[in-house]
Amino acid sequence: MSADYPLIKKFRTEKNHYIYDTWTNAILKVEKPLWDVINENNGQDSKQHLNETVDVNLLTEEISNAKKKGFLSTDRPKVVVFDNKPDWTKIIKQEASQNLGQITLCVTEKCNFRCLYCPYTYDDESTRKHSQKNMSFNIAKQALDYGLPRSREWQNDGKRVSVGFYGGEPLLNFNLIRKCVDYINKTHTKENVKFNITTNGSILTENIVNFLVENQFNILLSCDGPAMIHDRYRVTLDGKPTHKLMKKGLKLLKKHINSKNISVTFNGVISPPYSIAEVEEYFESTNMEYRLALASSTGTQFYELFNMHQEQKNKITQENYLFSEYRKAIVEQRYSDISQYKRDRFEKDIIKIYRRNMVRMEKIAISHGQCNPGGRKLYVDVNGDFYPCERVSRRYIIGNIQNGLDYKKIYKLLEEWNDIFHENCIDCWALRFCSKCFTHFLTNDSLHKKTEFLKLCQSERSRWFNALVRFCAISEENENYFKTVSEYYSD
């Protein structure tokens, strides 16, 4: 299949003009006249606005030579979720039966907080609500007995299978967590298990902390930054601030923070009105690991409280400033001054560009980002129903503890997913970078093919356009930097 214009993206830095060529994955530095004449949207290359001093014949020859070398192709790939192997269903089933890497148990739907941006706080049909439901040990036991034996290949690769405890606030059902850990330690001795928990920290006690340390838990502690920011939206059932409650729990954890038996990472949500630099400064001052993400827009009316057009402009301004600091530190070789937030926000995408595969794209291009439902991850709710993960709509059940995974539902989901990208991604210059997750679409019984897809598309194109500009801007100043830091990032 062919189009009227090449599959490329033009961009520029303060110093140079570039063309990203999707088929070859090459970033071409070009002179401005050639950059001006190449058309990236539709129709023929335009020469009518060129300066009179520009040699049009020379430009035409340059374009012709570039095409002979395989650049500027107007061909279009077929985009699929999986390649066209006739046995793709067997491959999916095999991974789900042998390569499970993470089991997450929703041990309770109770929560002692009512965070304003939390989807469970709102009355939305696509997500569950806070309730008084607890998972029983019988359901948890069946889920573990089903899931853990399916991690054989995962563990053969030297990895530990993760068992996570989720809520609500999971520690409100601490007795079940204790029973599950004891059961695994006694019964599933062949599996190399690591334990994870996400908690708001408000009900931690010495007894609970000692148990977490003894069993080498990885702990995600929810905190949004300094009290003034954290307490805007992270509140109790009756609307009271919670930062002091979190700090009380953190104090207990800090007694063991240097122990090899425990890992504590802050888990923060960035939300409007944005104060990113202030949040960054707070977490950097703690000398602890942290990870930050934007508040979810799925299943919540939280963003309707704000003028998001203005808030988005404010966020972009703040991030541009933070990037200028990041870039300056690299140019001046002050690498130790680069914060964890800047590395997570800017560097990970740039490293992906640096490591990109320079092999020409196949005519059948495989979509990136999605998992195999029930394969690497399995989320089990309080009733024993299976979901691809904790962020997917409660309507999209892919099995249960009684009957196991429902492969017909999984195949149907993947076929719908395949149709979306086959129809919409063939003209996208960013398809070799784009990451797509089921959570972008699974908001009710079916996949939202229009509004949700367009939102994701716009977001991903903007993300990777910015990453290309930033990669080239830094390369112009310190071309050896990415080679130096690349070794710290796993593939």
Side-chain angles (χ1 to χ4, degrees), residues 42-54:
N42 53 63
Q44 300 296 315
D45 296 330
S46 176
K47 302 179 180 68
Q48 64 266 33
H49 301 299
L50 290 175
N51 189 296
E52 293 180 359
T53 61
V54 175

Side-chain angles (χ1 to χ4, degrees), residues 407-428:
Y407 288 103
K408 288 184 178 179
K409 281 190 174 182
I410 292 173
Y411 300 154
K412 183 175 183 294
L413 169 60
L414 292 173
E415 286 168 354
E416 288 185 65
W417 191 250
N418 193 73
D419 290 341
I420 288 177
F421 298 112
H422 174 61
E423 294 169 5
N424 295 283
C425 293
I426 60 172
D427 285 321
C428 182

Side-chain angles (χ1 to χ4, degrees), residues 1 7 22-23 75-79 361-365 422 425-428 431:
M1 181 178 177
L7 199 58
T22 304
W23 276 101
D75 289 344
R76 294 296 187 264
K78 179 180 179 180
V79 182
M361 183 169 61
E362 299 287 340
K363 291 183 179 180
I364 297 178
H422 174 61
C425 293
I426 60 172
D427 285 321
C428 182
L431 67 90

